[in-house]
């Protein structure tokens, strides 16, 4: 069963900025150190790097990473480096990933998010020398599981109506 591919409207830059701000604010909530809570900023960065690589790229990822470093009181540049690499690899594979269905896209996003966590873990372990445990990687699995919902939610403003109306210009 082939489902139809719909042509999407252009992404509104204000919506992109608003989604990045909301993702950052979700990361500011006090649940950040609980096991399995996804990194919403990384998830939204991956989404926009895949869907709008010319509007959200490595520079935005670097700035978001610096903001997360300041918020987490982490080693300055830890999240900036990992988000920059995340955005780079997302942009590198964006044409290929978008051809797949949502579930398969989530399987492609999972290694990107795991790689981001591994970069953060290597930096933290080189400074502190402590391993947080294997449940540390549950964050990436939960983020990949949220991928279909995040995709549906962030693409909603871009979808055209299925039934064309004569009063609507598009």
């Amino acid at each position: 069963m082939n489902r139809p591919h719909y042509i999407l409207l252009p992404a509104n830059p204000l919506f992109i900025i608003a989604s990045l701000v909301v993702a950052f604010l979700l990361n500011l909530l006090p649940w950040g150190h609980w096991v399995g809570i996804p990194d919403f900023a990384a998830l939204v960065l991956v989404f926009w790097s895949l869907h709008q690589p010319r509007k959200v790229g490595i520079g935005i990822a670097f700035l978001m990473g610096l903001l997360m470093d300041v918020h987490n009181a982490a080693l300055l540049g830890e999240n900036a480096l990992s988000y920059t690499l995340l955005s780079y690899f997302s942009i590198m594979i964006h044409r290929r990933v978008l051809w797949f269905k949502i579930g398969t896209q989530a399987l492609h996003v999972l290694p990107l998010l795991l790689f981001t966590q591994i970069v953060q873990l290597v930096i933290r372990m080189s400074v502190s020398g402590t391993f947080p445990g294997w449940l540390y990687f549950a964050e990436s699995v939960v983020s990949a599981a949220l991928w279909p919902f995040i995709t549906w939610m962030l693409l909603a403003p871009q979808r055209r109506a299925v039934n064309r109306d004569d009063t609507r210009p598009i």
Side-chain angles (χ1 to χ4, degrees):
M1 294 202 155
N2 290 335
R3 60 183 184 157
H5 292 288
Y6 296 104
I7 296 175
L8 298 172
L9 294 171
N12 187 351
L14 292 176
F15 180 71
I16 293 172
I17 292 169
S19 65
L20 289 169
V21 168
V22 167
F24 177 70
L25 291 175
L26 284 172
N27 278 0
L28 293 183
L29 292 176
W31 63 29
H33 297 290
W34 293 359
V35 175
I37 299 297
D39 186 357
F40 292 104
L43 192 58
V44 173
L45 275 172
V46 168
F47 176 83
W48 288 121
S49 294
L50 288 174
H51 287 273
Q52 297 291 326
R54 291 185 180 192
K55 292 183 180 176
V56 177
I58 296 172
I60 300 292
F62 183 76
L63 291 175
M64 289 287 291
L66 283 178
L67 288 173
M68 288 305 300
D69 285 335
V70 170
H71 165 65
N72 292 338
L75 185 64
L76 192 61
E78 171 187 330
N79 288 310
L81 174 65
S82 62
Y83 285 2
T84 303
L85 291 173
L86 175 70
S87 180
Y88 172 75
F89 289 121
S90 298
I91 291 170
M92 199 168 81
I93 65 170
H94 84 276
R95 291 184 186 263
R96 180 179 25 214
V97 170
L98 294 179
W99 280 98
F100 295 112
K101 294 181 181 179
I102 298 295
T104 311
Q105 286 180 12
L107 293 177
H108 281 84
V109 168
L110 178 62
L112 293 172
L113 296 169
L114 280 173
F115 178 72
T116 302
Q117 279 196 294
I118 289 171
V119 168
Q120 292 172 348
L121 181 67
V122 166
I123 293 172
R124 287 180 193 163
M125 285 185 62
S126 65
V127 172
S128 68
T130 59
F131 180 68
W134 293 106
L135 285 178
Y136 173 75
F137 297 108
E139 175 182 316
S140 294
V141 175
V142 172
S143 296
L146 283 175
W147 182 255
F149 176 71
I150 293 292
T151 300
W152 173 79
M153 188 173 63
L154 293 177
L155 284 181
Q158 297 174 338
R159 288 195 183 92
R160 297 174 186 236
V162 176
N163 298 328
R164 184 174 173 100
D165 187 5
D166 293 331
T167 61
R168 211 175 301 140
I170 294 180

